[in-house]
Amino acid sequence: MATPSTDKAETSPTFYLVEESGHHHAASGGSTLLGFWIYLMSDALIFATLFATYGVLSTSYAGGPGPGELFELPLVALNTAFLLFSSITYGMAMIDMEAGNQRATQIWLAITGLLGAAFIGVELYEFTSLIHEGATPQTSAFLSAFFTLVGTHGLHVTFGLIWLVVMLVQVGQRGLNADNRRRLVCLGMFWHLLDVVWIGVFTFVYLLGVLR
Amino acid sequence: MSAHDTPHDDHPHDDGHSHGTRRGYLIGFALSAVLTALPFWLVMSGAIANAQTTAAIVVALAFIQIVVHTIFFLHINTKSEGGWTLMALIFTIVIVAIVISGSLWIMFHLNSNMMMPMNPASAPPAP
């Protein structure tokens, strides 16, 4: 009776160890990336509900100003360009990370961070000028939905920027090790997904708003 | 430039997450730059007089751009993570479509039934 149990105890950890290390080696945090992707999809659902809310309330001006009077498309175009350029610079950081060029990776990440900060700066400028014009979130359901949707996206970009600064410090201290590579791939997916959400924002909120 | 995809000696990426190539990123960037500039130009210049047509084109370009970003930047394909990322994406798209179209549909009919004006311009003048 004792013999089979010790036998089992000896063989099963070995089996699990082999499988775990093999899996880790093959995918380099593969399950982490899939898990992070599923988190991103849940984040996309948050944005879907906010888009739906905005869609329902986008004509409820309550006598306040409408999108045609409020939105400045040149500013939105500038912001869109910042975010689009930050996506390609992050892509370049990924390429250099794969090639093992730590210095180039850091430079591309820093450029990405500056572009992201410029995006947030322009967005804050837009929000403050809207509020100075009296278009506050309290003015109408349209503006409540607008500030919630665009503000949630801006908050995501802000947290992405914090994460990016943390990663710059991590890469600076520990180099491009397996953990930092995995984290950078996750941050990259996060960053690119925010760009995808922004496509929805500039199309459905700004461009269609001005057309209305 | 396409040969820049370096060999991965330490971790093969056959069924793992693909990071793309420099060429892939540049193609994706060029496509999305055009797909961004075009709708902004259409709306800002008013090249098409009919707002409805412009809106339809702008929305179509946005959907194309989302697909471009998904393929070239997020690297979602049938092979990444054994197809599970694509599965999760398709599931999410279905839920997103139900949430957004369902909300708009229901609330539009609710507004009609409540006889609320959809647009303040068509509302009767206040006494």
Side-chain angles (χ1 to χ4, degrees):
Chain A
M1 181 117 181
T3 324
S5 74
T6 46
D7 213 317
K8 205 178 173 185
E10 259 174 55
T11 48
S12 49
T14 322
F15 170 73
Y16 283 115
L17 267 176
V18 167
E19 192 192 41
E20 198 172 283
S21 67
H23 180 74
H24 184 77
H25 182 72
S28 164
S31 57
T32 305
L33 298 184
L34 178 58
F36 193 78
W37 177 250
I38 289 170
Y39 152 69
L40 286 180
M41 292 295 96
S42 74
D43 221 10
L45 292 180
I46 291 180
F47 282 109
T49 59
L50 293 177
F51 270 110
T53 310
Y54 179 82
V56 167
L57 298 175
S58 59
T59 49
S60 309
Y61 305 126
E69 310 151 52
L70 291 176
F71 297 156
E72 291 172 48
L73 284 187
L75 209 59
V76 182
L78 181 70
N79 239 356
T80 306
F82 283 145
L83 215 54
L84 188 56
F85 273 104
S86 81
S87 257
I88 185 71
T89 55
Y90 203 100
M92 293 299 115
M94 287 286 102
I95 301 285
D96 275 311
M97 181 192 84
E98 284 291 293
N101 304 327
Q102 185 179 330
R103 195 79 209 136
T105 309
Q106 286 170 311
I107 291 168
W108 283 120
L109 286 178
I111 296 171
T112 308
L114 289 177
L115 288 166
F119 173 85
I120 290 297
V122 172
E123 189 159 87
L124 285 177
Y125 166 77
E126 189 201 9
F127 280 9
T128 45
S129 53
L130 282 178
I131 288 168
H132 277 298
E133 286 171 42
T136 60
Q138 293 94 323
T139 307
S140 63
F142 152 67
L143 281 166
S144 302
F146 166 79
F147 277 103
T148 310
L149 172 59
V150 182
T152 304
H153 178 270
L155 266 181
H156 274 76
V157 176
T158 308
F159 280 99
L161 278 176
I162 295 171
W163 188 359
L164 198 140
V165 171
V166 170
M167 285 319 298
L168 274 175
V169 174
Q170 287 265 21
V171 171
Q173 286 185 341
R174 309 232 162 89
L176 290 172
N177 57 25
D179 284 339
N180 280 345
R181 285 169 183 242
R182 188 192 63 233
R183 290 164 186 155
L184 282 173
V185 172
C186 285
L187 175 57
M189 289 197 284
F190 183 76
W191 198 260
H192 291 308
L193 189 89
L194 289 182
D195 203 3
V196 170
V197 172
W198 184 253
I199 298 171
V201 172
F202 80 68
T203 302
F204 292 100
V205 176
Y206 290 102
L207 292 180
L208 294 192
V210 169
L211 273 179
R212 192 179 293 133
Chain B
M1 253 196 164
S2 59
H4 198 83
D5 195 12
T6 52
H8 313 290
D9 312 324
D10 48 347
H11 51 293
H13 278 264
D14 296 319
D15 57 352
H17 192 85
S18 153
H19 302 304
T21 59
R22 194 178 294 265
R23 188 164 163 270
Y25 276 111
L26 289 175
I27 292 173
F29 179 73
L31 284 174
S32 51
V34 171
L35 289 166
T36 303
L38 205 54
F40 270 97
W41 175 76
L42 279 176
V43 174
M44 287 166 85
S45 71
I48 300 172
N50 187 348
Q52 293 261 297
T53 317
T54 314
I57 296 171
V58 165
V59 170
L61 291 173
F63 280 114
I64 297 170
Q65 195 180 352
I66 288 172
V67 172
V68 166
H69 278 239
T70 309
I71 293 170
F72 289 98
F73 293 162
L74 287 164
H75 313 301
I76 300 305
N77 55 45
T78 50
K79 286 185 204 71
S80 62
E81 308 286 354
W84 284 109
T85 48
L86 184 65
M87 278 296 177
L89 178 66
I90 292 169
F91 173 75
T92 309
I93 290 170
V94 170
I95 302 292
V96 166
I98 292 172
V99 167
I100 293 179
S101 61
S103 301
L104 291 176
W105 186 25
I106 291 170
M107 295 310 289
F108 178 79
H109 281 269
L110 198 61
N111 279 345
S112 304
N113 291 341
M114 299 289 280
M115 306 279 272
M116 292 230 311
M118 286 306 285
N119 159 8
S122 65

